[in-house]
Amino acid sequence: MAPIVSVSNLVKTYASGFQALKDVSLDIEEGEILALLGPNGAGKTTLISIICGIVNPSSGTVLVGGHDVVKDFRATRSMIGLVPQELTTDQFETVWNTVSFSRGLHGKKPNPAHIEKVLKDLSLFDKKDNMLRELSGGMKRRVLIAKALSHEPRVLFLDEPTAGVDVNLRKDMWKVVEKLRETGVTIILTTHYIEEAEEIADRVGVINGGKILLIEQKKDLMKKLGRKQLRIDLQEPLPAIPETLSSYDLKIEDDGHSLIYDYDTSGERTGITTLLTALAEAGIRLKDISTRQSSLEDIFVELVGARA
Amino acid sequence: MNLEAVKSIYFFEMARTRRTLLQSVVSPVISTSLYFIVFGAAVGSRIQEIDGVSYGAFITPGLIMLTLLTQCIGNGSFGIYFPKFTGTVYELLSSPVSMTEIVLGYVGAAATKGMMIGLIILATAWMFVDLSIAHPFVMLLFFVLTAVTFSLFGFIIGIWAKDFEQLNLIPMLVIPPLVFLGGSFYSVNMLPPFWQAVSHFNPVLYLISGFRWSFFEIADVNPVVSFAIIIAFLAVLMGLLTWIFKTGYRLRN
Ligand SMILES: Nc1ncnc2c1ncn2[C@@H]1O[C@H](COP(=O)(O)OP(=O)(O)O)[C@@H](O)[C@H]1O
Ligand SMILES: [Mg+2]
């Protein structure tokens, strides 16, 4: 199946001369949830802004649903819903009007039943006649999501949707995202919270310094880059690592009460069996063994650190 | 053509207008009344007639133009400046609307509001002076053309402006003197030849003269020339707008 969003060799140089995107290529499959992970200034918002039509690309092409975002902007923008990073709202409008306005802008006939459903899904319906300036930041964020959903998009961009958002809204938001995914909507979200990507994404892309460092299925990513740690708690403390074990990359922790062994899960041999045998031969008695999988965060830090 | 979007923008803007209508009407009505009282009564007692028209009636077309110009520029510029200022412009830029549709929505609403207030000023004038309109259709033509042209002018100012100061610069500082020196309160034929010549560089003179002709059949310049000048100004603005849209000037990075 052709990707729903296809970015090829995208470059963006701002008027200031700053190059925010350096030859970015990326395909997004219909129906997936893609998390773009990257620190501030990585180029996430710039990338989204170009796909949505807010920023002009310097070179390269972006196709949405097979249409070029510059030449055939009507077709592409009709498909896209955008929740921007900044909380920008018409302070003096009511929730209902501002959400209906978004639908109209996208060329859709008024449909109060749909607007009502969107507002209810976001627990906004009882606020429909309130002016936006009367709402809290979290509520405004909900309104921005409602605006993006008002015209039934096929692709939804959420630019740092949980920045400064409370737990309730996060939960509501993931519920809405889950529902949307069931109806086949493609969702792209940016974040610098790793847990978020880990929680809901199917695929994770890591972007830094205007480059996509990698983009992989979350599971593969965890497997590929996922290092595991074996922690061995000892019956009696060891003052130092015995000579016989020096060929293993071991660390001592807890004043000699624990040994830490790092290994790669993707390797043919983890070396665990031989290590345990060696420990037994050295007469070291074990109290407990546990393993820990490295999180996306570790992966991320490793990647960005290594290539920065 | 995304008509639904044009309608949405237009009615969204008109809703904002409705909320602020009272304050937008009160101030021009009061100032117009003051002009009639001060100029009509004080000056009018000395200059009783110009070209056979009572002084109060003579100044009416100029006063309507003053309101129409400031209102249309003000509304046209604010309509697009405000979303730029608050950041909600992201939505216009990411919607399937062409620049033409954005202009139709915003300029249409700005011109509508300007004309509503212009008509209210005309009604106010009727309370002070006897007015007759010799060529109602020509009057309407000038009225609508001026409203659209200057709303478009405002729209361009709104895109250009980086802060409120720049936004207000032209409607507050440039338009009033041009209107006053454009023969609102006198016929330029009453001026010495040198100042007559200078006045002809003032585009607003042509607007007021043509508009006044539609009321009283008296004019400082041929009404056809007035008409041509408005059309020329409109054409210049359209050209400017086309360039703005092509380059994304101050809208799209
Ligand atoms: N309008 C602009 N002009 C110049 N530089 C910009 C502009 N917008 C963003 N940048 C720069 O581009 C880089 C990427 O920004 P952005 O896409 O917002 O990153 P992110 O969303 O990942 O934090 C940043 O260094 C930012 O300062
Ligand atoms: Mg950003």
Side-chain angles (χ1 to χ4, degrees):
Chain A
M1 205 171 56
I4 185 89
V5 178
S6 179
V7 178
S8 330
N9 308 108
L10 191 62
V11 174
K12 176 63 191 181
T13 310
Y14 281 109
S16 61
F18 183 81
Q19 198 170 52
L21 293 178
K22 300 167 182 153
D23 198 30
V24 167
S25 295
L26 150 80
D27 280 346
I28 301 168
E29 302 303 325
E30 179 138 35
E32 72 171 331
I33 299 182
L34 171 71
L36 278 177
L37 210 52
N40 273 329
K44 305 181 293 292
T45 300
T46 302
L47 177 59
I48 289 184
S49 299
I50 292 176
I51 300 174
C52 295
I54 297 167
V55 169
N56 288 327
S58 302
S59 67
T61 52
V62 179
L63 304 181
V64 177
H67 304 279
D68 186 281
V69 293
V70 177
K71 288 192 212 92
D72 209 358
F73 69 89
R74 275 188 209 276
T76 63
R77 293 185 205 160
S78 303
M79 282 186 246
I80 297 176
L82 167 65
V83 181
Q85 181 176 352
E86 304 291 335
L87 275 182
T88 52
T89 50
D90 268 313
Q91 298 286 317
F92 299 99
E93 293 300 333
T94 64
V95 170
W96 183 271
N97 285 349
T98 192
V99 175
S100 304
F101 176 64
S102 301
R103 184 176 172 89
L105 271 186
H106 283 79
K108 293 259 161 68
K109 291 248 173 308
N111 181 351
H114 177 69
I115 306 285
E116 183 174 331
K117 181 182 169 300
V118 168
L119 292 183
K120 282 186 172 153
D121 284 348
L122 288 158
S123 319
L124 268 178
F125 192 65
D126 56 330
K127 294 266 189 297
K128 70 181 166 53
D129 297 319
N130 285 58
M131 272 198 213
L132 283 159
R133 66 186 170 132
E134 300 161 0
L135 303 185
S136 67
M139 281 292 171
K140 283 185 184 144
R141 179 74 62 186
R142 286 173 202 253
V143 173
L144 290 182
I145 299 172
K147 280 165 82 75
L149 296 180
S150 68
H151 58 273
E152 303 157 75
R154 273 175 65 193
V155 184
L156 179 67
F157 287 90
L158 296 159
D159 198 355
E160 303 205 14
T162 51
V165 144
D166 59 67
V167 185
N168 283 338
L169 177 49
R170 268 172 89 129
K171 274 194 199 140
D172 275 9
M173 203 144 64
W174 298 152
K175 254 189 256 160
V176 170
V177 163
E178 219 21 78
K179 262 196 204 167
L180 286 171
R181 183 238 280 277
E182 279 160 23
T183 63
V185 176
T186 309
I187 294 153
I188 297 99
L189 64 102
T190 71
T191 177
H192 45 239
Y193 299 121
I194 285 95
E195 315 85 67
E196 224 158 83
E198 212 162 0
E199 206 176 317
I200 57 164
D202 300 314
R203 251 189 343 150
V204 178
V206 178
I207 179 171
N208 193 33
K211 285 190 202 143
I212 302 260
L213 301 182
L214 72 85
I215 180 153
E216 298 230 24
Q217 294 294 330
K218 185 176 65 184
K219 283 189 221 112
D220 295 345
L221 184 63
M222 302 285 295
K223 219 182 283 165
K224 205 163 175 180
L225 291 165
R227 298 185 66 81
K228 274 196 160 183
Q229 218 173 45
L230 181 70
R231 183 186 185 89
I232 303 161
D233 293 332
L234 309 174
Q235 297 265 2
E236 265 120 48
L238 272 181
I241 296 169
E243 275 293 304
T244 51
L245 296 174
S246 61
S247 60
Y248 299 92
D249 188 13
L250 289 174
K251 273 180 294 209
I252 284 193
E253 274 187 15
D254 293 341
D255 299 324
H257 282 95
S258 308
L259 289 172
I260 307 293
Y261 175 61
D262 281 321
Y263 64 100
D264 200 328
T265 49
S266 61
E268 278 287 290
R269 293 194 185 133
T270 55
I272 294 177
T273 322
T274 48
L275 171 65
L276 292 180
T277 315
L279 283 173
E281 280 168 3
I284 298 171
R285 296 200 302 152
L286 315 182
K287 194 158 81 184
D288 196 10
I289 292 179
S290 60
T291 63
R292 189 176 83 85
Q293 173 110 42
S294 59
S295 67
L296 257 177
E297 175 142 27
D298 303 329
I299 297 171
F300 180 66
V301 168
E302 202 167 293
L303 262 177
V304 171
R307 307 203 197 177
Chain B
M1 178 66 103
N2 184 349
L3 269 183
E4 210 56 56
V6 176
K7 265 176 19 195
S8 296
I9 297 174
Y10 182 85
F11 288 112
F12 198 74
E13 283 297 293
M14 289 313 287
R16 195 163 55 76
T17 294
R18 215 170 302 128
R19 283 200 301 270
T20 57
L21 192 61
L22 198 64
Q23 76 207 53
S24 354
V25 167
V26 167
S27 132
V29 165
I30 290 179
S31 58
T32 307
S33 305
L34 286 176
Y35 282 127
F36 275 116
I37 292 164
V38 174
F39 283 84
V43 183
S45 62
R46 308 234 165 168
I47 315 174
Q48 264 136 32
E49 284 190 346
I50 296 180
D51 298 335
V53 175
S54 81
Y55 186 72
F58 182 88
I59 64 172
T60 305
L63 289 178
I64 295 175
M65 275 291 159
L66 175 63
T67 302
L68 195 62
L69 296 189
T70 36
Q71 280 293 321
C72 288
I73 294 179
N75 302 332
S77 59
F78 193 75
I80 188 71
Y81 178 79
F82 196 60
K84 266 186 11 173
F85 175 71
T86 59
T88 53
V89 72
Y90 85 86
E91 203 179 7
L92 284 176
L93 298 178
S94 62
S95 294
V97 292
S98 67
M99 283 297 183
T100 313
E101 288 148 8
I102 293 180
V103 169
L104 282 177
Y106 280 104
V107 171
T112 307
K113 182 183 176 194
M115 289 191 287
M116 278 161 50
I117 296 176
L119 289 176
I120 291 172
I121 298 299
L122 179 62
T124 312
W126 241 304
M127 301 192 309
F128 290 90
V129 289
D130 271 337
L131 276 177
S132 59
I133 303 174
H135 303 282
F137 282 109
V138 178
M139 178 268 186
L140 218 57
L141 183 69
F142 272 113
F143 189 66
V144 174
L145 259 181
T146 305
V148 170
T149 305
F150 282 82
S151 297
L152 199 61
F153 186 36
F155 184 84
I156 292 174
I157 293 171
I159 287 181
W160 163 78
K162 281 187 171 163
D163 50 43
F164 278 98
E165 218 161 284
Q166 290 187 343
L167 189 70
N168 289 325
L169 192 71
I170 291 182
M172 309 285 251
L173 282 177
V174 179
I175 293 299
L178 287 183
V179 172
F180 288 116
L181 301 174
S184 297
F185 300 105
Y186 53 87
S187 162
V188 284
N189 297 325
M190 294 157 75
L191 298 176
F194 173 77
W195 291 111
Q196 275 192 41
V198 171
S199 296
H200 283 82
F201 286 100
N202 177 357
V204 176
L205 167 75
Y206 298 86
L207 289 182
I208 293 173
S209 171
F211 195 49
R212 185 181 287 136
W213 181 85
S214 71
F215 281 77
F216 314 121
E217 295 185 304
I218 53 167
D220 290 332
V221 289
N222 187 328
V224 177
V225 175
S226 294
F227 183 73
I229 293 276
I230 302 184
I231 297 292
F233 188 43
L234 188 60
V236 169
L237 293 177
M238 298 278 226
L240 203 57
L241 212 55
T242 312
W243 174 81
I244 286 175
F245 293 169
K246 268 220 187 88
T247 57
Y249 174 77
R250 290 199 180 169
L251 276 180
R252 270 196 180 87
N253 282 311

